[in-house]
Amino acid sequence: LIKCIKSNLIKVISFDDLGSGNKYVDLKYNILLRKENNIKKAIKGFNNLILTTNKLKINYIKKRIKNILIFFGGYDHNLILEKLLKNNSFFQKKYNYNFIITSNNSSYQNLVEKKKFLYTNHFNINLIKNPKNFEYILHNTDLAIISGGLTMFECLQSGIPSLVIPQYKHQEENIKILKKKKAVLFLPKKIINTFNFKNIINDNESSYLIRKKMSLNARLIINGKASKKIINDIYKLMKA
């Protein structure tokens, strides 16, 4: 297909394309998929990622956590939420837990039942189904517990400290890269049931300093300038 398009003197741009046709592309970006050894002359790096958030608003890191965002993507492939609900160390009464739920989430009913129990015991649980104001929720979040998709990068852009659990292999590879840069905390899905979340979710001074450092590092990686950069790249391509 790409060869056919190119035969009509049309320039082709690709994003995260690992297919055989990528060698014919004029301008290629490999941002999220990490199998790059066979992709020659690809533009790489998370700073080339275009996100959906309209306004770049930096979250102020508070010493005390108040609002925790939990979201594992439109389709929770590994049933991470199910495993999380079974971990007794996860919920603490002093925090607000905002669960983002989509229509495809098979764990919704279990979460409803868990909410009833927790409400009875004075926990603050909010179930937000298919939110239209996701950006507002994001910018009122002190800590995010998420999977490694685009939401992770939106949290990075806003400087939100994040504990990240991968759904897929390429997500795990990206999370490990970000962990080395001290921009996120990586939690393997196989230990969700037994992990002591109180070691991370607390108001200790050490926890605050870790979250603050993560926020600073995250904003260095995703700076919200990808759109302008890519437009400039395309302009140069068209002029060549």
Side-chain angles (χ1 to χ4, degrees):
L1 176 61
I2 295 177
K3 286 179 72 176
C4 180
I5 294 171
K6 291 278 292 176
S7 67
N8 292 307
L9 302 179
I10 298 173
K11 294 186 177 180
V12 180
I13 303 168
S14 71
F15 291 85
D16 288 310
D17 178 14
L18 300 181
S20 59
N22 73 73
K23 59 186 175 183
Y24 304 110
V25 171
D26 297 287
L27 182 61
K28 45 196 158 189
Y29 294 87
N30 270 66
I31 304 167
L32 299 179
L33 301 182
R34 310 307 302 176
K35 294 179 181 178
E36 300 165 341
N37 293 335
N38 297 324
I39 310 295
K40 296 180 180 179
K41 298 182 180 178
I43 297 174
K44 307 165 187 176
F46 298 134
N47 60 321
N48 293 291
L49 185 62
I50 298 176
L51 298 170
T52 57
T53 46
N54 297 319
K55 296 180 181 179
L56 179 62
K57 182 179 178 182
I58 306 302
N59 285 33
Y60 174 72
I61 304 301
K62 308 184 190 77
K63 286 198 172 184
R64 293 187 178 275
I65 298 169
K66 181 179 179 182
N67 296 312
I68 299 174
L69 171 71
I70 303 98
F71 183 44
F72 301 115
Y75 175 63
D76 188 355
H77 176 70
N78 288 294
L79 299 177
I80 294 173
L81 183 55
E82 290 271 1
K83 297 171 184 176
L84 194 66
L85 294 177
K86 295 175 182 177
N87 189 318
N88 293 327
S89 75
F90 181 65
F91 293 100
Q92 299 180 60
K93 292 182 180 180
K94 56 185 175 180
Y95 304 126
N96 298 323
Y97 295 85
N98 297 316
F99 288 85
I100 305 297
I101 305 297
T102 66
S103 302
N104 297 324
N105 198 302
S106 60
S107 303
Y108 179 69
Q109 192 55 45
N110 288 342
L111 187 56
V112 170
E113 294 301 318
K114 188 75 173 181
K115 177 184 176 181
K116 291 178 183 177
F117 169 78
L118 292 169
Y119 258 156
T120 305
N121 290 276
H122 308 291
F123 288 86
N124 298 313
I125 310 294
N126 299 306
L127 307 187
I128 309 168
K129 196 169 185 180
N130 300 322
K132 296 180 179 180
N133 61 337
F134 183 70
E135 191 171 302
Y136 173 81
I137 296 168
L138 197 65
H139 292 319
N140 285 277
T141 294
D142 300 310
L143 178 69
I145 301 172
I146 50 180
S147 53
L150 290 178
T151 301
M152 175 181 72
F153 292 100
E154 290 180 337
C155 287
L156 288 171
Q157 181 176 239
S158 295
I160 300 171
S162 300
L163 176 59
V164 192
I165 306 166
Q167 292 276 17
Y168 305 98
K169 185 178 179 180
H170 77 274
Q171 289 188 2
E172 182 171 337
E173 291 168 350
N174 288 333
I175 295 166
K176 287 180 177 178
I177 290 170
L178 294 167
K179 179 190 173 185
K180 287 181 180 178
K181 297 178 182 293
K182 298 183 178 180
V184 301
L185 294 176
F186 168 50
L187 178 61
K189 54 181 176 285
K190 64 183 179 181
I191 65 168
I192 297 171
N193 291 342
T194 58
F195 183 75
N196 187 353
F197 283 91
K198 292 180 180 179
N199 290 336
I200 300 297
I201 307 175
N202 61 62
D203 298 325
N204 296 341
E205 181 69 15
S206 59
S207 174
Y208 164 67
L209 293 175
I210 290 171
R211 288 185 287 111
K212 189 174 182 179
K213 186 65 175 178
M214 285 169 58
S215 178
L216 291 171
N217 292 336
R219 299 200 307 269
L220 291 175
I221 295 168
I222 305 290
N223 56 22
K225 298 178 180 179
S227 296
K228 291 181 179 179
K229 180 181 181 300
I230 290 176
I231 289 172
N232 187 51
D233 291 343
I234 295 172
Y235 179 78
K236 289 179 181 178
L237 174 65
M238 299 308 294
K239 286 289 185 179

